[in-house]
Amino acid sequence: MSDTRRRVKVYTLNEDRQWDDRGTGHVSSTFVERLKGISLLVRAESDGSLLLESKISPNTAYQKQQDTLIVWSEADNYDLALSFQEKAGCDEIWEKICQVQGKDPALDITQDPIDESEEERFEEIQETSHLVELPPCELSRLEEIADLVTSVLSSPIRREKLALALMSEGYIKKLLGLFRVCEDLDNREGLHHLYEIVRGVLFLNKAALFEVMFSDDCIMDVVGCLEYDPALVQPKRHREFLTKTAKFKEVIPITDSELRQKIHQTYRVQYIQDIILPTPSVFEENFLSTLTSFIFFNKVEIVSMLQEDEKFLTEVFAQLTDEATEDSKRRELVNFVKEFCAFSQTLQPQNRDAFFKTLANLGILPALEIVMGMDDLQVRAAATDIFSYLVEFSPSMVREFVMQEPQQTDDDVLLINVVIKQMICDSDPELGGAVQLMGLLRTLIDPENMLASTNKTEKTEFLSFFYKYCMHVLTAPLLANTAHDKSSKDNFQTAQLLALILELLTFCVEHHTYHIKTYIMNKDLLRRVLVLMNSKHTFLALCALRFMRRIIGLKDEYYNRYIIKGNLFEPVINALLDNGTRYNLLNSAIIELFEFIKVEDIKSLIAHIVDNFYKALESIEYVQTFKGLKGRYEQEKDRQSQRLNRYRRDARSLDEDEELWFNDDDDDDDGEAVEKRMEDDFSDTYGKYMEAKKDMKLSFGHLLQRTGSDKFKHLASHLTLIIL
């Protein structure tokens, strides 16, 4: 038996009703002593580890879908699926499951998935011990068929029986044939019955029926039936939209007919689920779970097939970056890549990892650098979406690319600078695109997602790169707007943009320490930011205040001295006084700033504020903040005075002790004895010193004779002089 026949992917359904990929391996069915029964085993093809060990329980409901899927539930809210590479392998395992449970392999489900009491189950089995008998597929019997289909939806067993009946004798295709007849005759009553029938058949939730209904020759008739909702006065024109409005554009010709068919099918089925079918009620949500799975696995297959076609993707990126490509063509190519990335979100992490690495190898980032700088708004918007997928997937991959750029291009066309300029030049009055780009920039400069990198120097290297090549582009609008100690533009859109820039700079203050500190000092950035405290837009003044609050929150004396030297509290206090008695957010934020300084007892700032501004602030009595600052100031002055007095007192005591020592009336004889002893000691010490010096001089002379070096002679002569 070949390996590919038993090659499977293991999926589990998560809480969000999305399928999680647990890995790829090879499945087998064997007796497991520990579980005491025949079990399904899946071993990973990478390392042979056990991905799945599941006993085939006699009471578990297994479902076979789309010829290559087997789905079942092992416990409440724990669904499993095996996706086979080949139909033959799926059939073999399905036969084994049916053999263990004693079921007919021709069935697509082995058990009723709904637990019922024995009495209810017995009664229902008695009612449905035989296949549901469908009325003849005739115009006159459509109402009867519709009643039958809608009546079985409440019973899982009867739904199963009806599905088997519909699969026999091509009943679905006969019904769709009647639809064409009814539409030709404009038989509205019959069309309304067909709507109920097709909707009910979809709610049977059977993959085998979906395979028929969504085939190329049936799906448009299914859509047609769903246009005739009895609740609507006029039918919807879904087919017209799908065939005329929604055009399938092959940006690069797709030669694989199976892939093209799969793309068409997936789009149309997604349209049926999202647009045509009404939002399911709480009781109907599970009726379409198989439809959701059908779309999910189709998307996985499409992405895999496109990813494997290297010739196709290479051609896409070649045309995308070719200067000769027409703008309309480039727009289609960008939109294709955007949809391609959107489809990739259905992939699980390991497959998505391979997907984006493929795009990176094909040159997705250089291509984005070109298209994000284009004038076409649609192209730029689509390119931004693609960029967001890449940043979300791997910020490190993007950072690695941009750090290599200065070696081969000018600063103006660096990818990050292109992104910043697009943010700055966003024409949307609400700056929707700018907000999105600002979030992406923050992700790229966030040290938190650099820590786990295998490259330990990534943080230092990238931040150095960013502040050298990009920071001046980011702050250019801010510096230009505050050049003359007042805001040159104070319209709403400019204020919004400056608020975004300040939000990013505030983030830098919190996370970048050294780099942003150096930049603030060199550019006198805080002074320029505080000019915006005069803005008529309160939200912008609050952004400027928040920037200063983050700086003070660091309690860094380097920053504190900068603030004191520049007298940078003045615009804040002026804003507080200008705000008057209004009790608003600006008032509260400014008071909170001073309260923080008081509580944290930042002495240098307290002294500066009280010395320079207390007279202006002492009249504010509705909070005790400023009186508290004055109190802290006085306490510190008292402590300093006490310390100074203690120092003076200690110095005075020392002077008195010295005076007493010098005034001590010693005996003259004792003084002479001491003087005589000191003279004798000095004579002995001086004699020993001269003898040692003589020996050292002789040693240097001897060394000088042994060496012929002029340099050493010069050095030795100097040393000899020093010793002498």
Side-chain angles (χ1 to χ4, degrees):
M1 187 178 296
S2 65
D3 287 340
T4 56
R5 290 174 67 182
R6 292 291 183 93
R7 190 168 185 264
V8 295
K9 281 186 179 293
V10 180
Y11 291 92
T12 58
L13 197 65
N14 62 29
E15 294 178 354
D16 299 325
R17 307 298 294 171
Q18 299 293 322
W19 288 102
D20 291 336
D21 187 347
R22 296 303 182 189
T24 302
H26 294 86
V27 64
S28 62
S29 57
T30 185
F31 183 84
V32 176
E33 182 65 32
R34 182 173 56 82
L35 300 177
K36 300 191 181 303
I38 301 294
S39 304
L40 297 177
L41 303 179
V42 179
R43 295 197 174 275
E45 65 180 2
S46 57
D47 57 8
S49 60
L50 196 62
L51 297 177
L52 176 70
E53 184 180 61
S54 173
K55 181 182 176 182
I56 302 174
S57 171
N59 300 317
T60 297
Y62 292 85
Q63 290 187 57
K64 184 182 175 188
Q65 301 176 8
Q66 300 184 49
D67 291 334
T68 56
L69 279 174
I70 296 177
V71 182
W72 73 98
S73 298
E74 291 210 334
D76 292 340
N77 299 321
Y78 186 67
D79 290 17
L80 289 158
L82 293 179
S83 176
F84 288 78
Q85 181 170 326
E86 295 186 11
K87 179 180 181 298
C90 183
D91 291 340
E92 289 172 3
I93 295 298
W94 182 250
E95 287 177 7
K96 190 66 177 181
I97 293 170
C98 293
Q99 179 184 342
V100 172
Q101 292 196 339
K103 302 294 181 180
D104 182 0
L107 296 174
D108 285 330
I109 186 168
T110 63
Q111 301 283 338
D112 174 17
I114 307 294
D115 290 332
E116 298 172 290
S117 70
E118 289 298 323
E119 183 178 352
E120 290 172 337
R121 184 181 292 277
F122 177 75
E123 289 175 357
E124 200 161 60
I125 288 174
Q126 290 297 317
E127 292 174 6
T128 60
S129 56
H130 51 80
L131 285 176
V132 171
E133 290 191 11
L134 289 166
C137 196
E138 300 171 357
L139 285 177
S140 59
R141 310 294 290 271
L142 284 176
E143 182 176 3
E144 185 180 346
I145 298 169
D147 291 340
L148 174 62
V149 171
T150 54
S151 69
V152 304
L153 294 179
S154 60
S155 167
I157 290 181
R158 296 192 69 201
R159 288 206 306 270
E160 180 66 28
K161 300 290 185 182
L162 177 60
L164 288 173
L166 288 170
M167 284 297 295
S168 64
E169 301 178 7
Y171 202 87
I172 295 291
K173 291 188 176 183
K174 292 178 182 178
L175 283 171
L176 296 177
L178 287 181
F179 163 72
R180 291 190 289 273
V181 173
C182 287
E183 198 166 42
D184 289 342
L185 298 174
D186 197 20
N187 181 350
R188 288 303 175 94
E189 184 180 358
L191 291 170
H192 289 162
H193 289 320
L194 282 163
Y195 170 88
E196 298 292 348
I197 293 168
V198 170
R199 181 176 178 274
V201 171
L202 288 173
F203 281 172
L204 291 178
N205 206 26
K206 298 300 174 186
L209 293 176
F210 292 162
E211 292 288 349
V212 176
M213 298 173 76
F214 300 149
S215 61
D216 284 349
D217 54 345
C218 293
I219 191 167
M220 295 310 292
D221 287 334
V222 169
V223 172
C225 291
L226 294 172
E227 291 178 351
Y228 291 93
D229 186 347
L232 300 176
V233 177
Q234 292 294 329
K236 295 286 186 179
R237 297 183 175 180
H238 297 301
R239 285 172 294 173
E240 182 178 331
F241 174 83
L242 289 172
T243 56
K244 296 180 180 178
T245 307
K247 293 292 185 181
F248 176 61
K249 297 179 180 179
E250 294 184 62
V251 290
I252 304 293
I254 296 175
T255 56
D256 189 336
S257 59
E258 182 184 354
L259 173 59
R260 189 187 299 108
Q261 186 273 334
K262 189 70 70 176
I263 293 171
H264 283 305
Q265 184 188 62
T266 304
Y267 177 80
R268 291 164 180 170
V269 176
Q270 187 86 61
Y271 183 87
I272 290 172
Q273 184 185 47
D274 294 343
I275 307 299
I276 300 179
L277 291 177
T279 303
S281 67
V282 175
F283 302 103
E284 295 174 334
E285 281 182 352
N286 291 332
F287 284 177
L288 294 174
S289 61
T290 304
L291 184 62
T292 302
S293 298
F294 185 94
I295 295 169
F296 170 83
F297 287 111
N298 263 20
K299 288 182 176 180
V300 171
E301 194 171 346
I302 289 169
V303 173
S304 299
M305 292 171 77
L306 283 172
Q307 189 177 339
E308 290 168 5
D309 191 346
E310 292 185 7
K311 184 179 178 182
F312 175 84
L313 289 178
T314 302
E315 183 63 23
V316 168
F317 284 99
Q319 291 198 25
L320 192 60
T321 55
D322 188 350
E323 294 181 0
T325 303
E326 296 180 0
D327 290 347
S328 58
K329 179 71 171 179
R330 198 187 310 275
R331 189 182 306 124
E332 292 175 1
L333 288 163
V334 172
N335 284 326
F336 166 77
V337 177
K338 174 188 168 183
E339 289 300 315
F340 194 29
C341 290
F343 266 41
S344 75
Q345 300 308 294
T346 62
L347 300 174
Q348 294 310 307
Q350 63 191 48
N351 295 332
R352 199 179 307 148
D353 184 59
F355 169 80
F356 281 110
K357 283 181 178 176
T358 299
L359 292 188
N361 293 335
L362 289 167
I364 182 69
L365 287 167
L368 282 180
E369 195 170 63
I370 294 172
V371 296
M372 289 187 80
M374 295 177 64
D375 295 331
D376 191 313
L377 292 178
Q378 289 184 352
V379 169
R380 290 214 309 257
T384 300
D385 290 336
I386 297 168
F387 186 64
S388 69
Y389 285 125
L390 294 170
V391 172
E392 181 184 349
F393 162 68
S394 176
S396 291
M397 180 181 77
V398 179
R399 284 192 287 262
E400 183 180 354
F401 169 77
V402 298
M403 281 193 290
Q404 295 170 355
E405 288 186 288
Q407 304 168 13
Q408 48 195 301
T409 186
D410 297 331
D411 289 3
D412 290 341
V413 293
L414 294 176
L415 178 58
I416 290 191
N417 286 348
V418 171
V419 171
I420 293 172
K421 287 175 182 176
Q422 189 169 329
M423 181 183 87
I424 292 170
C425 301
D426 189 3
S427 58
D428 180 4
E430 299 298 325
L431 296 185
V435 172
Q436 181 186 9
L437 290 168
M438 191 274 291
L440 297 175
L441 284 172
R442 183 161 62 180
T443 301
L444 287 173
I445 64 175
D446 186 358
E448 291 298 320
N449 61 47
M450 300 181 199
L451 298 179
S453 173
T454 54
N455 182 3
K456 300 301 182 184
T457 62
E458 181 185 16
K459 176 180 175 181
T460 304
E461 289 180 357
F462 181 76
L463 291 182
S464 298
F465 163 86
F466 181 78
Y467 280 86
K468 181 177 181 181
Y469 294 104
C470 308
M471 190 55 133
H472 67 281
V473 182
L474 177 65
T475 56
L478 173 64
L479 297 176
N481 207 48
T482 57
H484 305 293
D485 291 335
K486 66 176 183 179
S487 183
S488 58
K489 286 185 181 179
D490 204 17
N491 57 64
F492 179 71
Q493 190 164 357
T494 301
Q496 275 193 308
L497 175 62
L498 295 179
L500 284 177
I501 293 171
L502 280 174
E503 186 177 340
L504 206 55
L505 291 174
T506 303
F507 177 84
C508 293
V509 168
E510 290 181 292
H511 295 88
H512 291 176
T513 58
Y514 165 74
H515 291 89
I516 187 65
K517 185 191 298 184
T518 304
Y519 192 83
I520 289 172
M521 301 301 173
N522 290 341
K523 297 292 183 181
D524 197 11
L525 189 62
L526 180 56
R527 179 186 302 280
R528 305 292 284 274
V529 167
L530 291 174
V531 169
L532 301 175
M533 292 294 296
N534 299 320
S535 172
K536 66 182 180 183
H537 301 285
T538 305
F539 70 87
L540 182 56
L542 285 167
C543 286
L545 183 65
R546 189 182 304 116
F547 181 70
M548 185 178 190
R549 173 66 175 80
R550 290 293 183 274
I551 290 174
I552 291 174
L554 297 174
K555 296 187 285 187
D556 185 329
E557 277 303 311
Y558 196 73
Y559 274 130
N560 294 344
R561 288 194 296 272
Y562 163 67
I563 291 170
I564 292 167
K565 184 178 179 181
N567 195 30
L568 298 181
F569 275 109
E570 184 177 9
V572 177
I573 290 171
N574 288 341
L576 176 64
L577 297 175
D578 291 343
N579 192 60
T581 58
R582 289 191 291 273
Y583 181 60
N584 53 23
L585 188 57
L586 181 62
N587 174 275
S588 299
I590 294 174
I591 289 174
E592 190 278 333
L593 172 67
F594 290 108
E595 184 70 22
F596 175 82
I597 294 170
K598 183 193 80 173
V599 171
E600 296 296 325
D601 196 17
I602 305 176
K603 293 180 176 56
S604 58
L605 296 184
I606 291 174
H608 173 71
I609 293 165
V610 174
D611 285 341
N612 294 277
F613 304 106
Y614 187 70
K615 286 184 179 180
L617 298 171
E618 62 181 342
S619 61
I620 298 177
E621 297 182 341
Y622 54 87
V623 290
Q624 299 301 306
T625 300
F626 301 107
K627 287 186 177 179
L629 285 171
K630 178 71 170 175
R632 293 269 190 185
Y633 176 76
E634 297 295 345
Q635 289 174 7
E636 182 62 22
K637 280 186 69 175
D638 290 344
R639 279 195 293 271
Q640 294 288 351
S641 297
Q642 291 173 8
R643 192 176 297 118
L644 184 60
N645 290 336
R646 190 180 306 115
Y647 171 76
R648 286 173 177 169
R649 186 168 55 252
D650 293 344
R652 193 160 52 247
S653 299
L654 181 62
D655 291 342
E656 290 172 358
D657 292 343
E658 289 174 350
E659 188 175 346
L660 287 172
W661 186 83
F662 280 115
N663 292 334
D664 192 12
D665 190 14
D666 292 330
D667 184 71
D668 291 341
D669 294 339
D670 292 343
E672 290 175 4
V674 169
E675 188 175 336
K676 181 73 169 59
R677 187 164 59 250
M678 289 177 65
E679 287 177 358
D680 293 342
D681 290 345
F682 176 76
S683 298
D684 293 343
T685 303
Y686 183 73
K688 291 178 181 177
Y689 167 72
M690 291 303 292
E691 288 178 9
K693 190 169 77 167
K694 185 177 179 181
D695 292 342
M696 190 175 292
K697 181 179 178 183
L698 290 171
S699 297
F700 269 102
H702 179 65
L703 184 62
L704 184 61
Q705 290 174 1
R706 290 182 60 188
T707 62
S709 170
D710 291 337
K711 289 184 179 179
F712 190 82
K713 288 177 184 177
H714 180 71
L715 174 62
S717 64
H718 275 287
L719 289 172
T720 304
L721 287 171
I722 291 169
I723 293 168
L724 291 172

